[in-house]
Amino acid sequence: MYQKYIWLKSITRVVLFLVGMALLGHYLGHLTLGIIVGGLALLAWQYLRLYRLNYWLWHSKKISPPSTRGVWANIYEGVYASKLRNREKRKSLGEIIRRFREGTEALPDAALVLDEEGKITWCNRLARIELGIRWPEDTGRKIEAYIREQQFSDFLDAQVYEQPIEIKSPVNANKILEIRVVPYEEEHLMLLVRDVTRLTQIEKMRKDFVANVSHELKTPLTVINGYLEMIPDDGEMPPHMMKKAMSEMREQSARMQSLIEDLLALSRIESSEEHAFENLVNVPQVLWQIQAETEALNREKRHRIFFDVSPILYVYGLETELRSAFSNLIFNAINYTPAGGVIQVTWGFEGQQAKFSVKDNGEGIPAKHVERLTERFYRVDKARSRTTGGSGLGLSIVKHVLSHHNSVLVIDSKVGRGTEFSCRFSPELISLIEDPRPKNLN
């Protein structure tokens, strides 16, 4: 605690010390020498205190000051009090910075800060995901290294930030990003980046939805109407014809129901406003549940299906969408692989990324069809698709789910050898969790 120092007392001590040295010198016959020796001793004492102060400030690991008396005790106490105040300020500032970071991580938009030269000084997690920034390795790099479009460079050079601009995502060509620039402080800029893909595609989705429904529902409705016209008004028909008519109409009705469900699922995914990177998905549990579901689907085909699932590898995303994508790929492999085949489902690491893959030893897909497989209602063999009950939307659903999670579907197929469908998730989406399954105690 600070106490007012009495300077008269300190000066009196110095004077008494010098007088004592002068009397000692006079007694020894060297008055001047006594005064000089006393002054030098007093100076040496002060320099010793300065050395101790310097050592405490720069080298000592102790925050409390050395013990001393006099004016130096007051100096030490003043420095010590200043240290404590600065320590509290640093602690308070650290808490403010921590809250700021937590707040920015919770933002629904990607955010990053640029200095006067356009170099990145800070970014949140969504910015790392949406723009592919590595943090903190990429601190100090110019934003143009990530957003290479000339439109964006011209926008920054013009320094007119009233309206946002839209560009293609540098990490996902299927996404449209809106960038809003907010100047602050001295020539610093904050960039707010939002995914507006849904808004730019919504009108196209509506048109595609109507066109696709009209086209795909036409065939089953034609079949049902044809059989209904064959049935006489009195309902009297030969039993074998009635049995066939009812069987065909039930099959076409089931096909329409499956088609409508897939269309609605695809529409929900394309128009989803949920943020894909906020929730942690227990992918191992999802795959174990799908594994249980495959047993009923595989009864007739009797494939050998192997699941190799890392139990600790989770990702950030939307569980319902990822479940839909994974199950579509696995069920497609079961349906389109000839009976008695081998299917390998894998979930694990590939380098720093997480990889999901479904590999079969089926007939394979000709190269000319591979690029179009994710188009709506595209079928390699239409007759075979009708036999398996496929709607032609499964891979389109997978494509949009993966696009929502900044990933793409990779198809590797060789005719006569089989096909592998795979996708990868970036390190920013990965989280490792301790294996929740009970350990074998034997």
Side-chain angles (χ1 to χ4, degrees):
M1 180 179 293
Y2 173 73
Q3 294 181 354
K4 187 176 180 180
Y5 186 73
I6 302 174
W7 287 97
L8 181 60
K9 184 177 180 181
S10 179
I11 294 172
T12 301
R13 286 179 177 176
V14 171
V15 171
L16 289 176
F17 175 77
L18 291 177
V19 169
M21 292 300 296
L23 291 175
L24 179 62
H26 177 71
Y27 178 76
L28 297 176
H30 299 282
L31 175 63
T32 304
L33 182 60
I35 296 173
I36 292 173
V37 171
L40 291 176
L42 190 61
L43 186 63
W45 175 259
Q46 301 303 325
Y47 267 101
L48 177 62
R49 294 303 175 195
L50 283 173
Y51 170 79
R52 292 187 65 186
L53 175 62
N54 180 74
Y55 181 83
W56 175 57
L57 291 175
W58 295 102
H59 304 289
S60 178
K61 295 181 180 180
K62 296 181 179 179
I63 190 171
S64 56
S67 59
T68 187
R69 295 182 301 170
V71 66
W72 285 104
N74 269 40
I75 292 173
Y76 277 123
E77 287 177 6
V79 175
Y80 178 60
S82 178
K83 270 191 170 185
L84 290 180
R85 287 194 297 268
N86 290 335
R87 191 178 186 183
E88 290 299 318
K89 286 181 181 179
R90 285 197 301 269
K91 186 177 179 181
S92 177
L93 288 173
E95 182 65 18
I96 292 172
I97 292 172
R98 184 188 66 80
R99 290 180 179 178
F100 169 76
R101 287 178 176 173
E102 288 181 354
T104 54
E105 293 296 345
L107 285 174
D109 299 332
L112 59 157
V113 175
L114 308 181
D115 64 13
E116 64 277 4
E117 297 179 0
K119 295 179 180 179
I120 300 169
T121 59
W122 171 86
C123 68
N124 67 356
R125 178 171 169 269
L126 271 180
R128 300 195 291 272
I129 294 172
E130 296 290 9
L131 301 179
I133 298 172
R134 297 172 301 169
W135 189 261
E137 294 87 348
D138 291 342
T139 306
R141 292 195 67 183
K142 288 199 170 185
I143 187 62
E144 285 88 348
Y146 304 94
I147 306 177
R148 302 178 183 274
E149 292 195 19
Q150 187 61 40
Q151 177 190 4
F152 176 72
S153 298
D154 295 341
F155 177 68
L156 288 184
D157 293 339
Q159 298 184 3
V160 180
Y161 306 128
E162 283 77 9
Q163 297 296 326
I165 63 167
E166 293 183 359
I167 63 166
K168 284 187 178 180
S169 167
V171 297
N172 188 341
N174 296 317
K175 278 189 176 183
I176 303 297
L177 301 179
E178 178 190 84
I179 300 180
R180 185 177 296 275
V181 178
V182 181
Y184 78 102
E185 287 189 347
E186 296 181 1
E187 299 183 355
H188 280 66
L189 301 175
M190 174 173 282
L191 270 62
L192 299 175
V193 184
R194 175 174 296 181
D195 181 3
V196 294
T197 309
R198 185 186 67 84
L199 298 177
T200 59
Q201 293 181 344
I202 192 166
E203 187 60 32
K204 182 177 181 297
M205 286 163 41
R206 289 173 181 170
K207 293 178 181 178
D208 288 347
F209 185 82
V210 173
N212 291 331
V213 168
S214 302
H215 174 75
E216 290 298 321
L217 293 183
K218 184 177 180 180
T219 300
L221 283 174
T222 300
V223 173
I224 292 173
N225 286 332
Y227 279 109
L228 289 174
E229 290 175 0
M230 291 174 57
I231 300 175
D233 292 339
D234 58 6
E236 294 294 331
M237 261 185 97
H240 68 281
M241 291 184 63
M242 180 62 77
K243 183 178 180 181
K244 181 178 180 182
M246 296 301 292
S247 175
E248 284 287 337
M249 287 191 289
R250 274 196 296 266
E251 182 179 330
Q252 294 301 325
S253 296
R255 182 184 171 195
M256 282 195 296
Q257 182 178 355
S258 174
L259 177 62
I260 291 171
E261 289 175 354
D262 283 347
L263 276 169
L264 291 174
L266 183 58
S267 179
R268 281 195 301 271
I269 292 169
E270 289 179 330
S271 61
S272 174
E273 295 182 357
E274 291 186 81
H275 298 288
F277 310 120
E278 293 181 354
N279 303 311
L280 192 60
V281 179
N282 186 343
V283 176
Q285 185 178 33
V286 170
L287 292 176
W288 292 328
Q289 291 171 353
I290 295 174
Q291 182 180 13
E293 295 168 6
T294 61
E295 295 178 2
L297 189 63
N298 191 41
R299 284 174 187 168
E300 292 185 7
K301 292 295 188 77
R302 296 186 178 182
H303 299 307
R304 287 179 293 163
I305 305 177
F306 302 96
F307 279 75
D308 182 10
V309 177
S310 171
I312 64 171
L313 184 55
Y314 291 34
V315 295
Y316 286 92
L318 298 176
E319 181 174 336
T320 54
E321 291 190 6
L322 291 176
R323 177 189 295 275
S324 177
F326 295 160
S327 61
N328 263 299
L329 293 177
I330 295 171
F331 295 164
N332 277 356
I334 295 174
N335 288 328
Y336 291 103
T337 302
V342 177
I343 299 172
Q344 178 71 45
V345 179
T346 305
W347 170 249
F349 280 102
E350 185 176 80
Q352 293 184 334
Q353 296 181 318
K355 178 183 177 182
F356 173 78
S357 72
V358 179
K359 187 175 183 180
D360 63 59
N361 66 341
E363 298 174 357
I365 304 168
K368 64 180 181 180
H369 296 293
V370 170
E371 291 187 0
R372 301 192 59 191
L373 282 178
T374 56
E375 295 179 12
R376 296 186 185 195
F377 305 109
Y378 185 83
R379 297 179 177 92
V380 175
D381 186 342
K382 293 184 178 180
R384 186 180 173 197
S385 295
R386 284 194 295 271
T387 303
T388 58
S391 66
L393 291 171
L395 292 182
S396 184
I397 290 174
V398 173
K399 171 188 173 182
H400 283 85
V401 168
L402 296 181
S403 177
H404 203 184
H405 292 77
N406 280 355
S407 184
V408 293
L409 180 63
V410 179
I411 305 172
D412 183 15
S413 184
K414 295 182 180 178
V415 176
R417 295 187 180 182
T419 305
E420 180 181 11
F421 294 87
S422 64
C423 60
R424 292 158 184 80
F425 298 89
S426 67
E428 286 292 337
L429 297 181
I430 295 174
S431 181
L432 298 181
I433 307 294
E434 184 178 354
D435 189 352
R437 297 179 299 178
K439 296 177 173 58
N440 187 356
L441 301 178
N442 293 334

